[in-house]
Each structure stands twice: as structure tokens, then as C-alpha cells.
Amino acid sequence: MPLDVFASRVDALYQDPKTLLAGSFAATAAGTYVAVSDRSVALVVCIAAVALVNLVRFGCIFWYFHRRCDLKKRSEYAAWKRRYIVLAALHVALLCTLPTVVFAVTDDHASQLLSFSVAIGYLAGISGRNFACKELVIAQVAASAVPLSAAMIIGGGHYLAAIPLGLLPFFVGIVSIATRLRSLLSDLNASEQNSRHIATRFDAALNNMPIGLLMFDPNGRLLVANHRTHEILGTRLESGMNAQTAVASSRPSIKATRSDVSHLAALFAARMKRMPSGPLFTETLNDVALKIAFQAMNDGGTVVLVEDITEQRKAEHVIERLATFDSLTNLPNRAHFLREFERVLTNKVGETHALLFVDLDDFKRVNDTLGHAVGDELLRIVADRLRNVVGGGGFVSRLGGDEFVILLQSIGQLSEASAIASRTINIIDIPVDISGHKLSVGASIGISIVPRDGKEAGEILQKADLALYSAKKKGRGKFVFFEAEMEVAAHARAALEADLKSALANEEFSLVFQPQYQLATGAITAFEALIRWRHPQRGWIPPATFIPVAEEIGLISEIGEWVLAQACAEARNWPDHIGIAVNVSPVQFDRSDVVGAVKRVLMNTGLTSTRLDLEITESALMQRGEHTTAILRYLREQGIKIVLDDFGTGYSSLSYLDQFPIDKLKIDRSFVQRIETDARSRVLLRGVTNMCADLGLRVVVEGVETTTQLQSIIEDTTVHEIQGYLFSRPLDPAQARVLIKAEPRQNVAQVRRNRVAAC
């Protein structure tokens, strides 16, 4: 039994001293009457003993409640319980002794009946007074049984029959009634305790809910409001108030005027009547967003849930912003732009609008060389500059990567679009310092016009993109308006892309080989492998047409490895002193495993690595320089020769010759063509070749087409190898094998003979 229940039962023994006082007074009065009537000293002594015991009991009751607050242990309560049982049993024993004495000292039936009735009457109350304590009931019944039975025996005669017929059932009845009452009390205590636990748990759950809860009866009166409701509303709602009063009392906290609160109260009341359904939304003065939901109960009442949805609203706003704005530049993103563009096209039909598609020049180089952190900062700066250019007269958005769009609404003349495009290019071209790096990126812009170029957002954007592509082809820092021819070219390009994707599988590619000669001896030193594409419908398509497309759509790596494999396989048929030169696209270094491809091809073909020349362009060195340099160094360590191709067409930076692992320098044909008429070109060619000789680099000149060019090269330079139509056009594999067997050295020898004759 729990201590609190045990303590309550001990308390029950000492409570209600009035019953004890009444019983004691009745017994004392009756005994005193009989004692006076019979002038019996024994009765006087017995009455005095009863009174004395009662006095002690009253003293114990007083002392118990005086010490009640100090009782902490079960053993302390048990000691007080034992005291009460002993004194109560003694009191009953003395009270029941009165009839025994009366029966012994007098034959007066009235006195006998009175004393016996007082004892029996007191005993009858035991089951009602002391049922909670089983030990006390049994002790009092046992204490009364002996003296009452003795009285019956002394009375003799017909009194003896009262023992089995009356006293025994009486005592059994007292114990039985007390037992039943005690069982009922135990059940009641258990039920009360369970109800108390349930109420405590319900109260804890109710007041620890993360949302506010109000419960209204069918009449709209407030029954319950938890603590969270008071916290959210900043006020305390009292039980019994109606819904309108509850809403009105929340006005100091709700961000609303008096009329707004009245309207909210009306909506509140309507929803409690299920007309209409659905939650209410409002805000408090401290910017807390509230959602108020209503749930009907079976008895006609209503449960109202008040939820703080501030964080949810904030999260929704963040999600909405992420869905509509670019997190890097804080400009509207593609989805937001398209919605805005559609709105403009719908609301401003017939007006002229301009769409400027802006793409940064050389941005990829910034990302690759300086890292994405610098690239991101550059994009933020560009976004700010675009805002400044457009001001409030346009809508700027970032589509992704380094692509932006500017929507100019309701322009009067196309010159307005031209002016904005020109200002945009100029302001983006201004150098900027980021993390100690001085950067200058340009911009190319394609422009399409509504409604001239279309009326749908997707169509207008596509045509601006086509114009941008045309601007890119013209060089950096240009803007171009869309023209119908661009769409035709785009369709042709799309068809070319589609055909190119199937060309390799359909075996439409082939290789030709152009020989390279040693200038000193006229012997063939190597062949350059050149790819050709024969389209089944269009015929031969030049490499200058399809190679850039292959690079853009990502097919160049697959095509490049095929060229390498075919070239090396063919070179296995040649003498060991003749090498094979294969061009490697800059894109292959960026998007594929060049080292892995070379290893696979050499292993599969069995070609010696020293017979392979890989020709790269300046752009390959400019893009991801360290990455490319590491690859070239590794390949060079394997015996492969690295050739810098097309020297003289790009920056032609001399630092490349020292910075990168290069074995040969290949002078471009455009440079060679100028040496016949331009003395400066001959001087430059002589200087480059002499410098390469000092650096230990071999020089190859391509594009030699006339004897005059060859003679100038022989006279003015220290060139090692030559290549061009003067000696041989590109040959198919069979023709190349025939040429190798012929060893045609007479071309170079003839030029030398002509030189001697001229002298």
C-alpha cells in the first residue's frame, strides 16, 4: 500500500472525535444512572475506568494531529495506528464490562436492558466507524465478545440462548459489513487514485502541447484553455467566457484593429458552427503567425487548436525565394523570369519588348584557373553591374552558369535595346580585382524582339540564344539581333549534330596521312593523321565544319580515341623510323582520360611510344594549364613526343616554349604563306627557328605549297622538317605505303639544285 494511502487510513482513525464523544457520553450516562439506581460501587469504578480511557483517547487524538506534520515514515504512522487499536479495544472491553457488572449486582431487568443496549449500540457502530482498519474491527469485536458472553452466562436462563442466537451472528455481521465497506473503500481509493493519475497526465499533456488548445461546450462557452494558448495569445482566457469574448480579450496581442477583431470573432463563431470549415490565419503584434483550426466533438462542442506557424511561414518564404531567386547573385532565376515574361506577354499584347541574352566571354577560364570562389564573386559583381545598367527600366535574371537575360519592356525603338546592349558590354568589360587577381571578362549578347521575332516566351528566348551564338562566332564583346537566317543555320547545325552522333557507328569516318620530310635529307620522318567524314547524302564534310561541333556536343573524345587507334594501327605497317602524328583536341584534356586512351591504344596496337607524336594547340595549354602540363609531362616521360601545333595563329607566347614540356614547334601554314611577300615574316620565322634550335626544340613547317616558300625556308631558317602540298597531299593508307616504298627525296634535292644554279 502506498504511504499516502496508508497515512490517509491512519488519519481516518483519528478523525471524527464527535462520534467517540457521543458514544462515551451515552455509555457514561447510562452506567451512571444504573450505578446511582443500584448504589453499586463496582459500577462506579467501571464507569470511571471508561471515562479515564476515553480521556486518554481524546488526548491521543489531540496529540496525533499536533504531530501530524512531522510524520514522514511508515513506521511512525504504524505506531500511532497500534496506539489507537489498543485504546479502542480497551474502551470497548470496559464498555462491555458494564452489562456484566449490572447482571452480577442487580436483578433489575430495566438496568440490565439499558446497560446491554448501550454496549450493543456502541458495537453496532464499529463497522461504520472503523471498517477501514481490519485489525481494529477484529480487536474491538474480540474485546467485546468475552464480557458480553459473561453477562449472558451470569444472567442465566433464557439469556444463555442469546449467545448463539444473537451475539455470534451480530459479531460476524459487524466483521462482514466492515470487510465489505473496506473493499468498497479500497476500490474507491484505487479509482480515485487512477482518476487523479489520469487527470495529472492529461493536465501535463495538455499544458505541454506545442500548440494551444481550447475546448468549448455546445453553447460556445470555454471549458478548457491550456498554458500554450495563454503563451501564444499573451493573455489568460477564463473558463465560462464565450468565443467572441475570448477573441476580443486576445486583441492586445493580435495584429488587428477593433473592427478586424470583430470580423475575426465573427469568422471564429461561424467556424464553430461548421459554416464554413477550414482554418483561420492571423498574426500577433510580435509577428507570430497563427493558424486556428476547428474540430467538432460528438457532444456538439468544439476543440480549437491555435498553432504558432511562424517558423513554417519563414521556411515557406525561404523555399519560395530559393525557388524563384538565384542564391548566388540574388537575381530572379529562370523559373521566375519565365513567369514574369509570360505575364508581360499576356498583359502587354501588341507592345514592343526586347530580350537580351547575355553570356560572359572567357568565364570558364576564370573558373578553371582561379577556382570557383573567384568565379562566384565575379558573377556577383556582374549581377550588380547589370542591375545598375538596367535600373528600374528592365528585368534582369540569371538563367544559370554565366548566362543572364535582360527583359526591356515597352521600348519605343530598337535603338534602345542597342544602347542597353552596348552599355552592358562596356560595363562588364571594366577590369575588377578579386582576391588580388585583376580580371577582365567581356560579354556577348543576342537580342530578340517581341512581337517581331515571336509571341511565345520559349520561342523568343530560343531566338535570342541563336543571336548570341552568332555574336560569339564574331568574337568577344559583340551584340547581334536575331535574323531568320540564324534559325536556318541552327536547323542545319542540329541536323549535322544528329548525323555526327551516328557517323562513328556507321563507319563514315576515314583517315588520310600527310607526310612530313626531313629538310636536310628529304627522307620521310612521319605522317600526320587527318580525319575525313564522308556523309552518305552530303558527301565529304570538312573537318573545320564538324570538329568544332563534335567538341561542343562531347563526341570529340570518342572520335579522338578512334583516330588515335586507327592511326597507330596503320603506323605498325611502316618502317620503325617513320612516326605518326595525331592531333589532340583541347576538349579531350578537359573531358576525357587522355593518358588512359594513349595507353590502351599503344597496348592494343603494339606501336612503340617513341614513334607517336601528339599535336596540341595553344588553347589546350591555356585551359587548365597545370592539369594539362601534368598530363603532357607524363606522356613525354613515356617516350611520346609533344608537338605545339598552329604556332603563329594565336597568342604565340614564347613562354609556352619554356613553361610546357614541348619537343617540337609546328609553324602554321598561314605564317608560311606570308614569307614570300613579307620580309618581317621571314625575319620572325628565322628568329623563332634559331631560338628553338638553341632550346633544343625541333621545328616543323606545314603548308609549304611553292618552291619559293621552300627556298626561303632553306635559306633563312634552321627548320628540321617540312610538310605541305608541294611534296604530297594527304594520302589514303594504301597510297601512303606506296610513298614510303618510293622514298621520294627528289623534291628537296631539286630545290637545293635550283639554289646552287641561282648562285
Side-chain angles (χ1 to χ4, degrees):
M1 183 184 299
L3 178 61
D4 58 340
V5 177
F6 184 74
S8 67
R9 294 194 176 184
V10 175
D11 288 343
L13 296 177
Y14 284 92
Q15 288 174 350
D16 197 16
K18 295 179 181 179
T19 304
L20 176 62
L21 179 62
S24 299
F25 177 78
T28 303
T32 302
Y33 171 77
V34 174
V36 172
S37 299
D38 296 334
R39 296 189 181 101
S40 170
V41 177
L43 284 174
V44 172
V45 172
C46 189
I47 291 299
V50 171
L52 179 61
V53 170
N54 283 335
L55 184 62
V56 173
R57 292 185 69 188
F58 282 121
C60 282
I61 291 173
F62 172 79
W63 188 246
Y64 173 79
F65 285 108
H66 179 71
R67 293 286 308 279
R68 175 67 175 79
C69 296
D70 298 330
L71 301 180
K72 305 296 182 183
K73 299 179 180 179
R74 187 185 186 92
S75 59
E76 295 174 340
Y77 282 104
W80 281 102
K81 178 181 177 181
R82 287 193 297 272
R83 290 190 190 98
Y84 190 90
I85 292 174
V86 170
L87 291 174
L90 180 60
H91 175 222
V92 169
L94 291 174
L95 189 62
C96 291
T97 301
L98 279 176
T100 304
V101 175
V102 170
F103 273 80
V105 299
T106 179
D107 292 330
D108 183 13
H109 294 300
S111 297
Q112 291 175 347
L113 179 61
L114 178 61
S115 62
F116 199 83
S117 298
V118 169
I120 292 298
Y122 189 85
L123 290 175
I126 290 176
S127 59
R129 289 193 308 272
N130 302 325
F131 69 89
C133 183
K134 177 181 178 181
E135 297 92 332
L136 178 57
V137 172
I138 294 174
Q140 287 186 313
V141 169
S144 63
V146 174
L148 286 181
S149 298
M152 296 296 98
I153 294 171
I154 293 172
H158 57 275
Y159 288 110
L160 290 174
I163 296 176
L165 295 177
L167 288 181
L168 289 179
F170 176 68
F171 291 145
V172 171
I174 290 174
V175 173
S176 178
I177 292 172
T179 300
R180 285 200 300 273
L181 290 176
R182 188 166 55 254
S183 177
L184 290 174
L185 177 62
S186 296
D187 293 343
L188 181 62
N189 286 339
S191 178
E192 180 182 0
Q193 186 177 11
N194 187 47
S195 298
R196 189 162 55 249
H197 286 329
I198 292 174
T200 301
R201 291 168 184 165
F202 175 75
D203 186 64
L206 187 66
N207 290 309
N208 285 281
M209 291 175 64
I211 61 176
L213 182 143
L214 300 94
M215 187 180 295
F216 292 88
D217 66 14
N219 298 320
R221 299 288 176 180
L222 181 63
L223 298 175
V224 175
N226 66 353
H227 293 330
R228 183 58 180 153
T229 302
H230 304 149
E231 291 175 357
I232 293 175
L233 298 180
T235 184
R236 189 166 189 83
L237 304 179
E238 300 295 337
S239 298
M241 62 173 51
N242 59 31
Q244 188 167 359
T245 305
V247 174
S249 66
S250 304
R251 179 171 175 259
S253 297
I254 295 178
K255 187 185 290 184
T257 63
R258 189 181 299 277
S259 61
D260 292 335
V261 170
S262 299
H263 179 63
L264 180 62
L267 294 175
F268 198 95
R271 277 167 172 74
M272 289 185 64
K273 295 177 182 178
R274 296 29 158 188
M275 299 184 304
S277 60
L280 292 175
F281 297 91
T282 187
E283 289 186 358
T284 65
L285 290 175
N286 56 349
D287 294 324
V288 175
L290 301 180
K291 175 185 176 182
I292 306 173
F294 301 81
Q295 179 64 47
M297 294 192 297
N298 294 332
D299 64 355
T302 305
V303 172
V304 179
L305 301 177
V306 183
E307 184 178 1
D308 180 351
I309 59 170
T310 306
E311 294 303 320
Q312 177 183 333
R313 283 287 177 86
K314 289 180 180 178
E316 289 172 353
H317 291 158
V318 171
I319 293 172
E320 181 180 359
R321 185 158 189 86
L322 289 174
T324 55
F325 281 83
D326 173 49
S327 59
L328 178 63
T329 62
N330 207 28
L331 288 174
N333 61 12
R334 177 185 288 269
H336 191 180
F337 161 72
L338 290 175
R339 284 195 296 270
E340 177 65 16
F341 198 9
E342 292 285 1
R343 185 191 65 78
V344 170
L345 294 177
T346 302
N347 297 339
K348 299 183 178 182
V349 178
E351 298 185 29
T352 301
H353 315 292
L355 181 65
L356 283 65
F357 201 134
V358 183
D359 185 83
L360 302 184
D361 299 324
D362 296 331
F363 178 74
K364 186 177 183 301
R365 178 174 56 85
V366 174
N367 259 353
D368 291 343
T369 57
L370 302 179
H372 289 279
V374 174
D376 289 347
E377 182 61 25
L378 179 59
L379 290 175
R380 283 189 283 266
I381 293 172
V382 169
D384 291 338
R385 290 179 175 181
L386 291 177
R387 290 191 191 96
N388 294 333
V389 168
V390 175
F395 186 85
V396 183
S397 172
R398 182 190 178 204
L399 297 188
D402 60 344
E403 296 179 340
F404 300 83
V405 289
I406 300 174
L407 176 60
L408 302 177
Q409 303 178 31
S410 306
I411 62 174
Q413 298 178 344
L414 297 186
S415 59
E416 296 180 30
S418 299
I420 292 294
S422 181
R423 288 172 54 194
T424 299
I425 290 173
N426 291 336
I427 196 171
I428 291 179
D429 198 45
I430 297 174
V432 60
D433 188 284
I434 301 176
S435 301
H437 303 285
K438 191 171 184 179
L439 305 175
S440 178
V441 293
S444 299
I445 301 177
I447 307 173
S448 57
I449 303 297
V450 179
R452 186 192 71 181
D453 299 328
K455 298 180 180 179
E456 299 293 331
E459 180 185 9
I460 298 300
L461 186 61
Q462 178 189 15
K463 290 181 177 179
D465 193 15
L466 291 176
L468 172 64
Y469 182 77
S470 179
K472 286 280 191 182
K473 290 178 67 175
K474 291 184 177 182
R476 68 194 305 270
K478 301 289 191 303
F479 69 87
V480 173
F481 283 87
F482 171 78
E483 296 177 0
E485 294 80 5
M486 297 176 184
E487 196 164 22
V488 175
H491 290 314
R493 175 184 168 85
L496 180 65
E497 289 180 7
D499 293 341
L500 189 58
K501 290 177 181 178
S502 59
L504 193 60
N506 295 337
E507 299 182 351
E508 297 173 12
F509 291 120
S510 61
L511 293 185
V512 292
F513 301 89
Q514 188 171 29
Q516 296 175 353
Y517 295 91
Q518 189 176 38
L519 186 59
T521 64
I524 297 175
T525 58
F527 283 87
E528 180 181 5
L530 302 170
I531 188 171
R532 295 292 183 263
W533 179 19
R534 185 169 187 172
H535 192 279
Q537 284 80 38
R538 302 187 216 177
W540 292 104
I541 298 177
T545 300
F546 70 83
I547 290 297
V549 177
E551 290 177 335
E552 290 184 21
I553 65 176
L555 281 177
I556 192 62
S557 298
E558 187 177 355
I559 293 174
E561 186 166 351
W562 179 86
V563 170
L564 182 65
Q566 295 296 314
C568 290
E570 180 61 27
R572 285 284 289 122
N573 300 316
W574 306 336
D576 292 342
H577 67 277
I578 297 178
I580 181 70
V582 179
N583 291 279
V584 181
S585 166
V587 180
Q588 289 179 257
F589 287 96
D590 193 38
R591 299 182 185 176
S592 65
D593 181 11
V594 175
V595 171
V598 171
K599 283 184 175 180
R600 283 192 298 274
V601 168
L602 293 179
M603 180 178 296
N604 294 336
T605 61
L607 187 72
T608 306
S609 61
T610 54
R611 295 178 61 191
L612 176 61
D613 292 1
L614 293 181
E615 297 190 358
I616 62 172
T617 61
E618 290 182 49
S619 55
L621 300 178
M622 292 175 62
Q623 297 175 9
R624 302 182 65 186
E626 293 183 1
H627 172 74
T628 304
T629 302
I631 294 175
L632 296 179
R633 282 205 178 100
Y634 177 81
L635 294 173
R636 194 183 186 202
E637 290 171 358
Q638 308 309 307
I640 298 168
K641 290 181 284 295
I642 308 300
V643 182
L644 181 58
D645 195 11
D646 297 337
F647 191 84
T649 59
Y651 292 101
S652 300
S653 174
L654 296 178
S655 64
Y656 294 153
L657 306 180
D658 177 60
Q659 184 179 354
F660 297 102
I662 297 171
D663 297 290
K664 292 183 181 181
L665 191 70
K666 196 170 187 180
I667 307 297
D668 186 69
R669 68 180 66 247
S670 61
F671 198 88
V672 173
Q673 290 171 355
R674 297 196 298 270
I675 65 175
E676 292 183 279
T677 58
D678 187 357
R680 295 183 61 188
S681 296
R682 288 197 298 272
V683 172
L684 288 173
L685 180 60
R686 183 168 56 250
V688 170
T689 56
N690 290 337
M691 180 182 62
C692 287
D694 293 339
L695 293 174
L697 301 178
R698 298 182 66 82
V699 178
V700 182
V701 176
E702 65 177 344
V704 180
E705 299 179 354
T706 67
T707 55
T708 304
Q709 293 171 351
L710 177 60
Q711 188 169 343
S712 297
I713 292 171
I714 294 173
E715 292 175 350
D716 297 333
T717 69
T718 54
V719 170
H720 302 90
E721 297 169 56
I722 53 177
Q723 173 183 346
Y725 284 3
L726 178 61
F727 309 105
S728 174
R729 289 181 173 273
L731 308 172
D732 64 33
Q735 292 171 331
R737 293 173 200 158
V738 171
L739 182 65
I740 292 172
K741 291 180 180 179
E743 281 289 340
R745 305 179 183 220
Q746 65 276 10
N747 289 337
V748 177
Q750 183 64 42
V751 171
R752 290 187 179 277
R753 281 195 297 272
N754 292 341
R755 179 188 176 196
V756 172
C759 293

